[in-house]
Amino acid sequence: MSLKIKALTKSIWVFHLAASPCNNCDIEILDLLTPRFDIERFGIQLVGSVRHADAILVTGSMNRKARQRLKRVIAQAAKPCFVIAIGNCACSMEMFGKSYNQMECLDNVSEVHAYIAGCPPKPEAMIQGVVALIQAQLAALKK
Amino acid sequence: MTPVNRTQIIPIGPYHPLQEEPEFFKLHVDGEKVVKLEIEIGYNHRGIEKLAEGLTYDQVPFLVERVCGICSTSHPFACVNAIEDVGGFDIPDRAKYIRTFIGELERIHSHLLWLGLAGHFLGYNTVWMWAWKYREPVLDCFELITGNRNHYAMFKPGGVRRDIEDEDIPTAMRIVAGLERPLLMFAKIAMADPVLQARLKNVGILTYQDCVELGALGPTSRASGVPWDVRKDHPYAAYDMVEWDVVTTENGDVFDKVIVRVLEMLESVKICKQCLEKLREVKDGIDANYKEIPPGEGIGHHEAPRGEVFHYVRSDGSNRPVRYKIRAPSFMNVPTNNRAVVGYTVSDATITLAAIDPCYCCTERTIVVDADNGKQLMGWKELLRLSQEKTRKLMERYKSRMDRVWI
Ligand code: SF4
């Protein structure tokens, strides 16, 4: 069975964590659930609690107030759990890096398994990113 | 014996909303009834005003675009208005029409987004899916014209960055005109559905007086009969060159807020069509190419989907602003929750908090806590369930009439 099909057959539950984003990444994530993209057909579903999540989608550049909570939420997740940085903000803090209210990049707070760049990334890019992550993980397992 | 304090606290939020900026609501409840509301914000503070002071005038629109992803035209719109106000610049008519077109298209996408989520909170997921389905063509139109689905980067002081090509106009026109049917359908559904009526009528009422006292803006105040709209009161861009009306309703309840938004979208469609027609004829360039911003102060407005956005800029003649100030409409609208939520039941709180279209997805993290021992009584799921159950119960009651509602 090809890895892609394997990936499609597994249902990934994702938890969406907004760490002071501008909303747009978040809207595009929600857009994935609506009729045009409808990722539920792949079994990918947004869940309400981080304890049910297989992957955490982090958006935003994380200000001081958000950072504490982000750390706590990631610590609460059942391991193993993937952390996916969605959008330029989460990947590299974009233009907010120099602000007085930002401290550090997401990489310093937790291990990040995939970066999906774009401002905001297109829904197609997000789907592709998740698929790429699964393939990379499965390939790593095989070795 | 001292009276027992039976009030309990429901913290809603603060952080990790379903989609929008985090805010923290503390609902004090006595049984089912909300008696007090406290609001705390600041989870999304990124220091944008300060960052703006370190950027050049050409870069600032890109930064303020990222204040909010849903109003990603409103902020640059107000920003370029402010910068142009410093020097008293005028821009070509074609640029004005393009700006207006983008601004109105965004209103449609934003209101559809709200409509969908409001449906979700009421347990009408069909409304959610439908509204977002009809939102996709709008995003396609944006992609066609600006190259991106969100964050269009169309504005620059003195004009717009990209032109709308003649060959794109028919496609854009088709998309915009195609929105009319679904919008009318939504209006009819809202008017005819007895459950929606029972759920939203006379819930979360804001009176005319409340709106004036608290300075509510946008659809929140227009639903209470306050006809404030900067597009009419202080016209900018092409708003005085096209035909349109300000939509107001009288009751100020959540139902009226739905109606105002749906009707506003129809007005926006009207404006978009006129702009596209004009773009076929008006061809006087898209950029006035101003090089220097003189010293001085400027203010800029834009009627964003949620109300008036206000930007202030002070210049000392260099290429950067010395002071930049932003006031977003939700800042004025959020305090109105204090009047609109208090006195109604918990199951109505979600939709009432949602009605001003703020950052209501914060409710995702709602938990009901017993104020005495801090024990968790109720989670966000329960609250959503409460809200959806109420709709279901009403559906039972109106079953006989529901059968007859077919649009
Ligand atoms: S990457 Fe862009 S769209 Fe995403 S949160 Fe940051 S500014 Fe917004």
Side-chain angles (χ1 to χ4, degrees):
Chain A
M1 196 164 52
S2 89
L3 294 180
K4 200 165 172 189
I5 292 172
K6 206 168 179 186
L8 290 181
T9 53
K10 301 267 197 269
S11 82
I12 307 174
W13 285 13
V14 296
F15 176 76
H16 160 222
L17 190 60
S20 39
C22 78
N23 299 342
N24 227 338
C25 283
D26 317 72
I27 297 169
E28 292 292 66
I29 291 176
L30 280 194
D31 226 27
L32 285 174
L33 297 175
T34 52
R36 176 164 305 175
F37 299 101
D38 192 17
I39 46 164
E40 279 197 32
R41 68 204 150 115
F42 303 135
I44 302 179
Q45 208 188 349
L46 269 188
V47 290
S49 161
V50 72
R51 292 182 202 279
H52 301 159
D54 303 316
I56 303 177
L57 310 177
V58 183
T59 60
S61 52
M62 236 197 341
N63 68 13
R64 279 166 202 266
K65 227 169 173 174
R67 182 172 159 273
Q68 314 293 339
R69 288 165 189 268
L70 183 122
K71 266 188 174 165
R72 248 195 355 237
V73 171
I74 292 185
Q76 281 170 1
K79 306 289 179 313
C81 174
F82 296 133
V83 176
I84 304 176
I86 300 229
N88 288 356
C89 277
C91 294
S92 64
M93 303 176 80
E94 218 185 21
M95 47 176 74
F96 304 108
K98 286 193 219 113
S99 166
Y100 54 83
N101 208 21
Q102 313 282 354
M103 294 180 73
E104 53 190 352
C105 222
L106 178 64
D107 310 58
N108 298 350
V109 176
S110 123
E111 189 191 350
V112 180
H113 297 84
Y115 299 88
I116 301 174
C119 182
K122 289 198 169 181
E124 294 94 332
M126 295 188 197
I127 297 177
Q128 199 201 359
V130 175
V131 171
L133 170 71
I134 295 165
Q135 285 177 340
Q137 294 292 329
L138 287 176
L141 275 184
K142 268 200 180 145
K143 267 185 204 153
Chain B
M1 215 175 84
T2 49
V4 189
N5 182 4
R6 305 224 334 276
T7 325
Q8 294 177 340
I9 299 176
I10 310 178
I12 301 186
Y15 165 63
H16 155 55
L18 188 63
Q19 61 126 11
E20 292 188 54
E21 301 109 317
E23 281 168 351
F24 184 39
F25 296 106
K26 231 181 199 179
L27 290 184
H28 295 252
V29 295
D30 182 358
E32 271 270 284
K33 215 172 170 156
V34 180
V35 289
K36 198 174 148 208
L37 175 73
E38 288 173 52
I39 302 164
E40 185 195 327
I41 49 178
Y43 291 88
N44 222 352
H45 184 80
R46 283 165 293 170
I48 289 190
E49 289 178 11
K50 190 73 197 159
L51 283 173
E53 289 161 21
L55 298 177
T56 63
Y57 286 111
D58 252 357
Q59 293 169 324
V60 172
F62 296 129
L63 178 71
V64 295
E65 188 163 50
R66 281 154 182 82
V67 170
C68 169
I70 310 174
C71 320
S72 60
T73 287
S74 318
H75 286 281
F77 210 142
C79 165
V80 291
N81 281 348
I83 295 173
E84 281 155 15
D85 187 37
V86 177
F89 301 144
D90 201 16
I91 63 165
D93 279 354
R94 186 172 177 86
K96 286 185 185 169
Y97 283 117
I98 297 181
R99 282 184 181 183
T100 311
F101 175 71
I102 299 283
E104 289 311 304
L105 208 54
E106 185 188 70
R107 191 179 317 280
I108 301 175
H109 117 78
S110 174
H111 282 349
L112 276 176
L113 189 143
W114 176 84
L115 193 65
L117 286 165
H120 173 61
F121 282 128
L122 289 172
Y124 266 148
N125 273 345
T126 323
V127 177
W128 181 26
M129 292 297 164
W130 277 29
W132 283 54
K133 179 179 145 200
Y134 292 117
R135 187 178 151 261
E136 285 296 330
V138 183
L139 297 184
D140 286 345
C141 190
F142 274 129
E143 200 171 353
L144 175 80
I145 289 164
T146 70
N148 204 0
R149 286 161 56 91
N150 314 77
H151 285 332
Y152 328 110
M154 277 295 268
F155 288 67
K156 65 177 283 191
V160 289
R161 271 177 206 283
R162 293 178 205 88
D163 204 354
I164 298 181
E165 304 292 338
D166 272 351
E167 62 258 31
D168 290 342
I169 292 180
T171 321
M173 193 64 129
R174 205 190 59 232
I175 292 176
V176 172
L179 286 167
E180 252 166 27
R181 228 188 91 245
L183 288 177
L184 283 172
M185 179 192 75
F186 278 124
K188 277 195 214 150
I189 290 180
M191 289 300 201
D193 190 319
V195 176
L196 275 189
Q197 305 250 356
R199 209 42 235 283
L200 303 179
K201 274 246 155 114
N202 298 324
V203 166
I205 297 180
L206 268 184
T207 60
Y208 186 98
Q209 201 55 31
D210 289 338
C211 285
V212 174
E213 277 169 19
L214 294 168
L217 297 167
T220 312
S221 68
R222 288 199 284 275
S224 308
V226 188
W228 291 341
D229 193 323
V230 255
R231 291 175 292 170
K232 267 275 192 272
D233 303 341
H234 186 263
Y236 51 92
Y239 284 112
D240 48 355
M241 303 192 271
V242 287
E243 299 270 315
W244 63 283
D245 298 311
V246 177
V247 181
T248 52
T249 50
E250 294 305 321
N251 300 325
D253 50 11
V254 180
F255 184 76
D256 273 23
K257 286 175 190 152
V258 177
I259 296 299
V260 160
R261 288 202 170 92
V262 173
L263 295 181
E264 260 186 26
M265 282 191 273
L266 286 166
E267 287 298 315
S268 296
V269 169
K270 222 162 88 187
I271 300 177
C272 284
K273 277 182 168 172
Q274 292 176 47
C275 287
L276 284 175
E277 281 304 333
K278 289 280 184 233
L279 281 177
R280 289 188 214 261
E281 305 147 21
V282 185
K283 298 207 191 284
D284 55 350
I286 54 164
D287 194 352
N289 271 322
Y290 292 111
K291 298 288 183 224
E292 301 281 337
I293 310 286
E297 290 179 317
I299 54 169
H301 311 263
H302 171 60
E303 184 73 22
R306 288 155 191 74
E308 178 196 347
V309 177
F310 173 86
H311 282 224
Y312 164 86
V313 54
R314 192 187 316 141
S315 150
D316 62 352
S318 69
N319 63 345
R320 284 150 212 260
V322 215
R323 178 75 177 96
Y324 203 89
K325 171 79 193 136
I326 301 171
R327 199 211 55 197
S330 288
F331 183 72
M332 304 303 287
N333 285 340
V334 167
T336 61
N337 283 333
N338 252 327
R339 306 266 169 102
V341 175
V342 172
Y344 298 94
T345 61
V346 182
S347 49
D348 290 333
T350 10
I351 185 63
T352 312
L353 289 176
I356 63 160
D357 193 1
C359 319
Y360 56 88
C361 295
C362 318
T363 34
E364 163 93 307
R365 296 262 283 185
T366 302
I367 40 170
V368 176
V369 177
D370 191 319
D372 295 332
N373 54 16
K375 218 176 82 213
Q376 184 170 327
L377 300 177
M378 210 190 263
W380 151 249
K381 274 197 195 130
E382 270 89 330
L383 262 197
L384 193 58
R385 204 203 62 225
L386 263 184
S387 173
Q388 298 184 343
E389 250 169 27
K390 188 166 174 187
T391 308
R392 223 166 293 135
K393 259 188 244 151
L394 286 170
M395 272 182 184
E396 284 295 313
R397 195 186 311 160
Y398 290 102
K399 205 157 186 191
S400 52
R401 276 166 63 191
M402 281 291 278
D403 295 342
R404 273 177 272 141
V405 184
W406 281 111
I407 316 277

